[in-house]
Amino acid sequence: MDIKGIIEAIRSGVSGVQILGQDFNRIDEEIEAVATQLNFKVKEWNLGYGWVDFKTKRALQHEQEVSLYQDLKAIADDDLTGRIYVIQNAYSVLKDDIRAIARLQQELLRIKRHFKGQAAIFLVSKESIEFSELVDLLIPF
């Protein structure tokens, strides 16, 4: 993964980064390196638990129903300054949820307009994300 390229992309105002791959440990290490260099905090969402602690992978809320559509509201309610949001297995969860795609599109546009260079959403997947609503808002790595 091109850490330097991702940092430059975020600083230039890219709101969405698509990371293709399956080596999740290496991807996490590189996301952490990006966050460290930008002095950003990382928050992760996965299909198993919803929002989790990026380092420990422990659920931030226990016994909740996991829904990306619902959980993206946390981004809307958050102060986005200095944040990277990581959505794991993004393709698998988005392919059957047009409402989550629409909400994600709105959050990417919000970052682009109001938090340019201050926040980003990373979509991690082994499949390329090519939904027409998102493709122009993502840069692949």
Side-chain angles (χ1 to χ4, degrees):
M1 191 161 72
D2 180 8
I3 294 171
K4 196 173 180 181
I6 292 173
I7 291 169
E8 289 173 12
I10 292 170
R11 285 186 175 148
S12 73
V14 168
S15 58
V17 175
Q18 179 180 179
I19 300 174
L20 293 169
Q22 295 184 76
D23 186 349
F24 297 113
N25 288 332
R26 194 181 112 248
I27 290 170
D28 278 0
E29 288 170 5
E30 292 176 351
I31 290 171
E32 190 166 1
V34 168
T36 298
Q37 289 187 36
L38 290 170
N39 199 26
F40 282 13
K41 292 183 180 172
V42 182
K43 191 171 181 181
E44 179 181 328
W45 186 92
N46 69 44
L47 192 52
Y49 295 105
W51 291 111
V52 299
D53 180 279
F54 179 70
K55 292 182 189 217
T56 67
K57 308 299 183 204
R58 292 183 58 139
L60 296 179
Q61 293 183 345
H62 298 284
E63 304 303 320
Q64 71 170 24
E65 183 179 330
V66 176
S67 161
L68 183 59
Y69 171 73
Q70 289 297 331
D71 293 343
L72 283 172
K73 190 170 181 326
I75 296 175
D77 295 339
D78 218 351
D79 175 8
L80 304 184
T81 306
R83 299 278 182 155
I84 292 174
Y85 296 90
V86 177
I87 309 296
Q88 292 288 354
N89 302 108
Y91 178 83
S92 297
V93 72
L94 289 170
K95 68 180 171 124
D96 297 321
D97 193 347
I98 191 68
R99 292 182 340 146
I101 291 171
R103 187 166 272 177
L104 181 58
Q105 177 191 43
Q106 293 308 307
E107 292 309 318
L108 288 166
L109 289 169
R110 183 168 154 247
I111 290 170
K112 196 171 200 67
R113 287 186 200 118
H114 303 293
F115 295 92
K116 191 173 187 173
Q118 301 172 48
I121 299 174
F122 286 30
L123 302 178
V124 180
S125 182
K126 61 183 179 180
E127 299 94 349
S128 181
I129 295 170
E130 298 186 15
F131 305 109
S132 59
E133 298 87 350
L134 302 176
V135 74
D136 292 336
L137 297 170
L138 301 173
I139 187 166
F141 284 93

